């Protein structure tokens, strides 16, 4: 076992990866290298197999990303098992064990901010064993995040050892790096998401499928704040937030409670969507009656000279891992109504991948009318599997 | 049956949809609510089952979107049955019953404009019955549009009751809302499309598959006008405008008639494409010899400071419901030629999802040469189904 | 056989392709037409069947695109057969026959530049015959390029006759056209690719699948230059550069050689990715720990007023034919590490569509640790076919 080293020999010609300019004069001295090998050997002796990779990494990698001298705030996050949906195991992240949900809590950061999130793995080892596809794969849950900065110790992967065995905890540090003209950093403001990367296999496929994901928004100082934020996750089996058909829209007409299965707003409210794709399928996200700019915020600052060239859209391709977001003014020009939000792939929407943005009038009223029962065939729940044979 | 009402209790924590700021002090008074319920009850008594949803909505929803005091112009649109393509039922929209086609007529608007379109459903009830997948689903056709503004009464959906039973008519009102710095509206200029949303099922899957779709372009005052506009719709079964192989390009070398199956221009002409995806499949739209900017218009205004960062592309992912457009100068730098336009998914193009942009010289001449017979295996028509087992 | 001619009759109404303005007064006179027909007839007599299409085109089409009075430089490119990968035939382009690879050499141009590339077809006719799906299809390889300008003689297609039979050579001329405010040309700077368009069938599906593709980057004067460039091609069967699992990342920890199967850099180096999609499947490209702007270069010029609205992303949909690129500062803020680069479609990454960007510290060091063996099940190579039944 040995340290990595990038030699400075030029690659063979025509290999598609010719370096144009190697920084000379920066060779690592042999003494430094020897020291590292020694350190690794010591660690290998000291730690057991379980914490091996983590310890190994810990010897080398920083705990916090550069720019985060110390976290501005800390959070507790709990990974728990939730009631099954039919035969499907469901897991969720929560700010408390009692409030875990899928999607998990939407996390909000501002550029420049650094957050330490301690993840507590409360998922029973037996459940994780059941989800495991390979007996050699370790048991655990993790937190992998898109967009913001983190070191290998917060990558949330098996190979970096940055996951949490059952009953244990681990602190992940995220840094919402700012734009920096000098370093060329483009900044990290945007609509992102976080998810497990280890349940079941090295890409967390089973963790994602069970519900371990949530939305993240990073704002810039001065960004307009919405009145409401909804995280909408399109996934396999024609699912929106892992539900479909009637289960995707459970709004009670008398007492609609905003949440993952009830998208509701009053006319004039600024409604923000965080849209995420998971699983194996491509989708197209479509919202009736409302459109948005294909920019970082979904908004156009009309004072800016290039605004005239920005595409305005109401339908956008969404693949696994993709995330985008936008704000709309609910009911702007179009008025109140039960506005469909669905995947525009026809066999997806026909299979129940459809919900509503219910826009009430300024007083909170909406007349009686069809609302969430647009898919009577699927009204019995989300466990029937009309989507076994995906073919988009 | 009761009116909707958004209560102002905060949602439970951790549900992914926490409102940050509810507008207080705007509760709807009980008298208003009682009035609505009474109105709804009266309507339920007065109207039959057929017009139920529409009448119900009509009691509450505005006929026209805000900003459209009254339509600037009106149009008649006819939905008719066209000759079958093999065994496939074909429907089309037309400005007259005699000129219906698939895609339907390209509609052009300018921001600020409001158009009233009266749709006449001439499709026989027997045909609509044949296309219906569920006997409980109502018979009708509709007009659902992307991008521009409309109220629930012009949504074109079953649940809003805004469709047209056989032999009847209905007026849809579209408003090409302008950008507005005060309200934050990004404007509605762009490349859009319109389509049926009710034939066969609640998402109009059978109507779309039969041909009920067309292109819409909304311009801003000052936008450059093209010399020619082509609407190109990529769909299932390797189809371009529902044709494939030899049927996708029927240009006559002696007398090419511009139209859905003959894309032709002279060198130097500004050719505009409205590109739309329908159905279940992802595609990638590729044009040989020409590229465009990934902006609202496909053009770059070189005077603008950000133009330097705009991606120039010649291949773009296109999912169902997506639409984009662009203008190119036919033959710019590359000269005249038979320039392929195809889906770049290999089994799609190999299956006949390929046509040509024929660029003649400035005098309208082109030498003899291979043109539209690049897929001899598919030359017999579009009804053979090489695409049953989609697997992109 | 006859010359093409665009008549100036208006198309029938409602056909979706109404020209708004035909340039009048430019009819081609009958004498010109007669001349072309005569020329074509003479050519048909003179040339054999093999060179037929080419000769025909040659009578009419320019050799070089407008703007390229003569090439600024010339290159030799060789198409050769490489050792089989299991039972898979492998072909590659190389600057010499000995250095052919898949992907082929990355080609770099600057806007305004014109390059003449002579392609030598060294692939045995027997191999091309084996790859052919239709005995009527001609044998040959070609060079079709995205983004830059070329005439029909450099289109690389069968129908234009611009391919290279076995044992022969052909010169293709590419022009990296500049932006031009007068003509409206958006310029050709961007991340592109080149590929065969004739091996096996009219879309080069077998040539692409065997390895005949490579990256192209066109820069604008003043664009920042990277320290390293990697071309990463996502394709069918969960492949990255046609490899998967352990074969996708063969970096030697002692002596990592940058190349198609070893993505490595030191912290602080500017690393450029050229990302290309081929084949039949959609993918999403995801890189851990690094993100980029969704602009032409992947960078944001912070001095520009619209930079605030540009989406920063770390995951992007990628369909066949698509290409994009970006530069990142290796390890910026996140430090050194084995950073995963994978398709985020879960069954793709689970099937081995995953590699690493190995970021060493400034001295070129990295501690021991898991690196490229994250997919033990696939460690035996890339020929096992876990991806026969694609269903994304």
């Amino acid at each position: 076992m040995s340290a990595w080293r990038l030699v400075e020999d030029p690659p063979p010609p025509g290999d598609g990866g010719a370096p144009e300019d190697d920084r000379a004069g920066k060779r690592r001295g042999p003494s430094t290298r020897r020291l590292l090998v020694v350190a690794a050997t010591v660690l290998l002796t000291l730690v057991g197999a379980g914490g091996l990779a983590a310890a190994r990494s810990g010897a080398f990698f920083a705990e916090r990303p550069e720019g985060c001298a110390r976290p501005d705030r800390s959070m507790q996050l709990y990974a728990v098992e939730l009631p099954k949906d039919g035969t499907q195991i469901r897991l969720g992240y929560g700010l408390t064990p009692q409030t875990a949900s899928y999607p998990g809590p939407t996390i909000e950061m501002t550029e420049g901010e650094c957050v330490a999130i301690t993840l507590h793995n409360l998922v029973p080892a037996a459940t994780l064993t059941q989800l495991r596809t390979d007996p050699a794969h370790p048991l655990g849950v993790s937190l992998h995040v898109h967009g913001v900065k983190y070191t290998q110790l917060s990558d949330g992967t098996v190979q970096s050892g940055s996951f949490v065995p059952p009953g244990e905890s681990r602190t992940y540090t995220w840094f919402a790096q700012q734009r920096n003209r000098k370093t060329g950093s483009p900044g990290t403001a945007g609509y992102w998401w976080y998810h497990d990367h280890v349940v079941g296999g090295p890409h967390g496929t089973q963790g994602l499928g069970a519900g371990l994901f949530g939305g993240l928004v990073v704002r810039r100082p001065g960004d307009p704040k919405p009145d409401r934020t909804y995280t909408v996750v399109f996934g396999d089996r024609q699912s929106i937030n892992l539900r479909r058909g009637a289960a995707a829209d459970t709004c009670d007409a008398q007492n609609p409670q905003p949440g993952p299965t009830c998208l509701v707003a009053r006319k004039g409210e600024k409604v923000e969507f965080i849209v995420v794709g998971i699983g194996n399928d491509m989708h197209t996200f479509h919202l009736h009656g409302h459109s948005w700019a294909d920019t970082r915020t979904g908004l156009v600052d009309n004072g800016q000279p290039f605004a005239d060239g920005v595409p305005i859209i109401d339908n956008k391709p969404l693949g696994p891992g993709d995330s985008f977001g936008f704000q709309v003014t609910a009911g702007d020009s179009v008025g109140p109504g039960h506005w469909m939000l669905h995947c525009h792939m026809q066999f997806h929407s026909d299979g129940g991948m459809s919900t509503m943005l219910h826009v009430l009038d300024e007083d909170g009223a909406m007349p009686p009318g069809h609302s969430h029962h647009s898919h009577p065939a699927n009204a019995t729940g989300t466990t029937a599997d009309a989507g076994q044979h995906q073919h988009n």
Side-chain angles (χ1 to χ4, degrees), chain A:
Chain A
M1 202 159 280
S2 62
W4 275 72
R5 185 164 168 274
L6 179 54
V7 292
E8 300 184 12
D9 301 332
D15 72 343
E20 301 202 330
D21 167 27
D22 259 359
R23 299 175 174 207
K26 282 199 169 183
R27 287 177 176 275
R28 184 173 44 77
S31 63
T32 314
R33 182 177 168 190
R34 201 176 312 124
L35 198 65
L36 281 167
V37 173
V38 170
T41 310
V42 170
L43 280 163
L44 283 169
T45 314
L46 292 179
V47 301
L52 180 63
R56 223 189 263 148
S57 307
F60 188 87
F61 299 113
E63 188 186 336
R64 293 174 194 146
E66 285 167 52
C68 166
R70 59 174 187 182
D72 298 291
R73 59 181 165 119
S74 61
M75 289 172 56
Q76 309 300 310
L77 199 65
Y78 298 82
V80 306
E81 184 165 7
L82 296 170
K84 279 197 174 63
D85 176 10
T87 58
Q88 300 277 331
I89 291 172
R90 289 285 175 244
L91 309 177
Y93 294 113
L95 298 176
T96 67
Q98 293 72 36
T99 55
S101 58
Y102 46 94
T106 299
I107 298 178
E108 197 168 326
M109 297 179 73
T110 305
E111 272 192 0
E113 199 182 10
C114 184
V115 177
I117 303 180
T118 301
L119 176 64
H120 307 276
N121 181 0
L122 306 184
V123 181
T127 303
L128 294 173
T129 304
Q130 220 177 320
L131 288 168
R132 182 162 63 174
T133 50
D134 171 6
H137 186 74
L139 297 179
V141 303
S142 83
L143 205 51
H144 172 72
V145 66
H146 285 244
V148 293
K149 297 295 182 181
Y150 51 86
T151 72
Q152 286 272 297
L153 303 186
S154 293
D155 191 22
T157 54
V158 173
Q159 49 94 8
S160 63
S162 50
F163 61 94
V164 192
E168 300 189 15
S169 300
R170 181 186 186 87
T171 298
Y172 295 85
T173 307
W174 298 351
F175 174 48
Q177 190 189 34
Q178 308 97 315
R179 275 194 297 165
N180 185 319
R181 201 178 294 200
K182 222 163 53 188
T183 65
S185 159
T188 53
Y191 291 97
W192 305 105
W193 66 302
Y194 61 89
H195 62 91
D196 169 74
H197 211 297
V198 306
V199 175
H203 291 278
T205 301
Q206 306 300 322
L208 275 162
L212 290 177
F213 51 79
L216 165 68
V217 52
V218 178
R219 303 189 197 282
R220 286 194 182 137
D223 277 0
K225 292 286 189 78
D227 297 308
R228 299 178 181 276
T229 296
Y230 290 110
T231 296
V232 175
V233 180
F234 275 25
D236 295 346
R237 302 183 180 193
Q238 299 90 48
S239 66
I240 298 178
N241 292 334
L242 300 186
R243 289 90 168 179
R244 70 179 172 200
D249 181 6
T250 62
C251 268
D252 184 287
Q254 289 301 308
N255 185 17
Q257 290 297 330
T261 60
C262 180
L263 315 178
V264 60
R266 288 179 185 206
K267 185 168 183 299
E269 285 186 325
K270 303 289 182 190
V271 179
E272 178 179 60
F273 287 91
I274 303 176
V275 183
V276 177
I278 62 169
N280 298 319
D281 293 346
M282 292 298 301
H283 302 285
T284 52
F285 175 94
H286 176 47
L287 176 60
H288 283 215
H290 300 75
S291 54
W292 62 93
D294 200 10
T295 58
R296 173 176 69 84
T297 57
L299 301 168
V300 166
D301 180 339
N302 292 306
Q304 290 172 336
F306 197 70
D308 202 44
V310 171
I312 309 303
I313 56 176
D314 72 356
N315 200 86
K316 191 176 163 81
L318 179 71
D322 290 336
S323 56
F324 64 88
F326 59 90
Q327 291 185 34
V328 291
T329 302
D332 177 34
S333 174
V334 304
H338 304 286
W339 297 104
M340 296 176 83
L341 182 165
H342 63 86
C343 180
H344 217 301
M345 287 187 166
Q346 299 297 133
F347 83 107
H348 284 188
S349 47
D350 285 345
M353 196 164 183
S354 185
T355 184
M356 298 272 179
L357 171 63
H358 302 281
V359 179
L360 314 187
D361 72 8
E362 288 89 343
D363 294 330
M366 176 85 82
H370 296 245
S371 58
H372 52 78
H373 291 295
S374 56
H375 303 285
N378 292 293
T380 48
T382 65
T383 54
D385 191 1
Q388 278 291 32
H389 186 67
Q390 298 284 342
H391 59 102
N392 61 311

